[in-house]
Amino acid sequence: MRITITIEDPTPEALEQLLALAALPETTISAVPADRWTPERAFDYYEHLPPRAKQILRAVVDGDGRCDADVVKEDGKNLRGTTGAFRRVLNDGARAGRWPAELPVPVESVIIGGQLQFFDLIRQEPDPLLAFREALKSDGRPRSTSS
């Protein structure tokens, strides 16, 4: 069972009760909202993507959050079906407990006139581009901030 509690400016009594709850065995505490991308979450997500989706995500990150579809087409092949991996991997990882179920799909396909024109990284505060840049810039895991 997962319980999410958000309290802004807790009273000393509320804080005391929360700390008592946090002291229970099997309790995991995260200061990061469940719907926010962190470098750790982004790295794990990227590692589980199939190669074609990894290529697209890396191109989007390298393009400051946007990548023209033509840039990632291989030998003129269309990109039909390649973007479904973003949602599938996200859902599979949430079911396996690798990251929160509330995380949004990070890459959106933008279709104009029935044609896939480009890929965009989602718009959210804080900007997920920072988390994905940190996750993809190193060969190993990003420095831990919290998950």
Side-chain angles (χ1 to χ4, degrees):
M1 174 173 59
R2 175 181 292 222
I3 299 172
T4 303
I5 300 171
T6 304
I7 299 178
E8 293 182 20
D9 301 322
T11 64
E13 296 81 23
L15 188 55
E16 184 178 322
Q17 291 175 357
L18 281 174
L19 291 174
L21 180 62
L24 294 174
E26 304 293 322
T27 301
T28 303
I29 297 175
S30 174
V32 178
D35 67 343
R36 297 296 187 263
W37 284 100
T38 64
E40 294 79 16
R41 291 173 181 171
F43 180 85
D44 286 342
Y45 176 77
Y46 178 80
E47 287 295 299
H48 285 88
L49 287 172
R52 191 85 159 107
K54 282 182 177 180
Q55 176 194 11
I56 293 169
L57 179 56
R58 187 169 286 281
V60 169
V61 170
D62 290 345
D64 291 327
R66 176 171 282 185
C67 173
D68 289 335
D70 290 338
V71 170
V72 292
K73 285 184 180 177
E74 292 178 350
D75 302 322
K77 295 179 184 175
N78 74 32
L79 295 167
R80 177 166 291 166
T82 58
T83 59
F86 293 113
R87 179 169 303 283
R88 181 180 42 76
V89 167
L90 187 69
N91 291 339
D92 290 350
R95 277 192 296 277
R98 286 191 292 272
W99 45 74
E102 296 84 358
L103 279 176
V105 176
V107 177
E108 300 172 331
S109 303
V110 179
I111 298 171
I112 301 172
Q115 295 289 320
L116 176 62
Q117 298 295 315
F118 51 90
F119 298 97
D120 260 346
L121 202 61
I122 59 163
R123 304 291 179 222
Q124 183 185 44
E125 289 298 327
D127 188 355
L129 182 58
L130 302 175
F132 279 94
R133 270 194 187 135
E134 176 70 23
L136 300 182
K137 79 176 183 180
S138 64
D139 294 332
R141 290 190 167 273
R143 290 182 304 280
S144 180
T145 54
S146 77
S147 57

